[in-house]
Amino acid sequence: MKIAIGCDHGGISLKAEIVPLLQEMGHVVDDKGCYSTESVDYPDFAKAVCRQVQKGDCERGILICGTGVGMSMVANRFEGIRAGLCNELFTARMSREHNDANVLCLGARVIGFGLAAEIVRAWIGAEFAGGRHQRRIDMF
Ligand code: RB5
């Protein structure tokens, strides 16, 4: 699938490891930045990724900042975006199965690459269960 990814300076080192992982998994990555460790504002990158998902140019998005909190707050302000901050595996899987999350937020200062890679694999592989969960999403 085509996946948009974005980060701020706090997430750039983890993004640099997640992008090749996604490519090795066979996904097409649309990297919306940032591209250096210079201090930047995370809302700019959350917006760039969420717009790609909203437009349908990308099926999913991944956002990485220091904690993942700021990115998730911004992303969830966009119509049609269901962003989940998932710094552990169970939430990552459930955010897909129960919430049909289309954006994954990660905290690069909270977790290392090993766990982040497992979270990304679980999040991409998990399917939305539909049924009562769709009814609840329709109530947003
Ligand atoms: C940047 O210092 C930091 O505030 C940002 O990466 C993120 O953690 C915000 O939620």
Side-chain angles (χ1 to χ4, degrees):
M1 70 177 78
K2 191 170 173 192
I3 300 171
I5 192 165
C7 69
D8 70 356
H9 53 286
I12 192 162
S13 55
L14 183 56
K15 177 166 72 72
E17 295 179 294
I18 296 294
V19 168
L21 170 75
L22 292 169
Q23 290 166 335
E24 282 161 24
M25 290 169 71
H27 302 293
V28 175
V29 179
D30 182 0
D31 186 350
K32 308 310 278 186
C34 65
Y35 307 111
S36 84
T37 55
E38 185 186 335
S39 182
V40 290
D41 300 322
Y42 59 83
D44 287 334
F45 303 93
K47 286 178 193 171
V49 165
C50 290
R51 284 183 182 138
Q52 289 301 95
V53 177
Q54 275 186 323
K55 284 189 294 180
D57 284 356
C58 292
E59 201 173 321
R60 307 262 193 97
I62 296 177
L63 290 167
I64 310 171
C65 64
T67 59
V69 173
M71 288 294 199
S72 62
M73 286 180 168
V74 177
N76 278 311
R77 297 181 72 91
F78 285 78
E79 183 79 33
I81 297 298
R82 294 175 301 280
L85 169 54
C86 305
N87 284 326
E88 38 79 22
L89 273 167
F90 180 74
T91 307
R93 199 174 72 243
M94 297 309 282
S95 77
R96 287 287 312 132
E97 292 181 8
H98 284 195
N99 311 110
D100 198 19
N102 51 13
V103 171
L104 169 68
C105 301
L106 297 168
R109 293 174 181 158
V110 182
I111 57 171
F113 173 64
L115 178 55
E118 289 302 307
I119 288 169
V120 166
R121 286 182 192 281
W123 187 76
I124 287 174
E127 293 292 331
F128 179 48
R132 68 187 186 281
H133 304 295
Q134 182 62 57
R135 184 183 71 242
R136 290 162 185 163
I137 286 172
D138 292 340
M139 294 169 72
F140 284 17

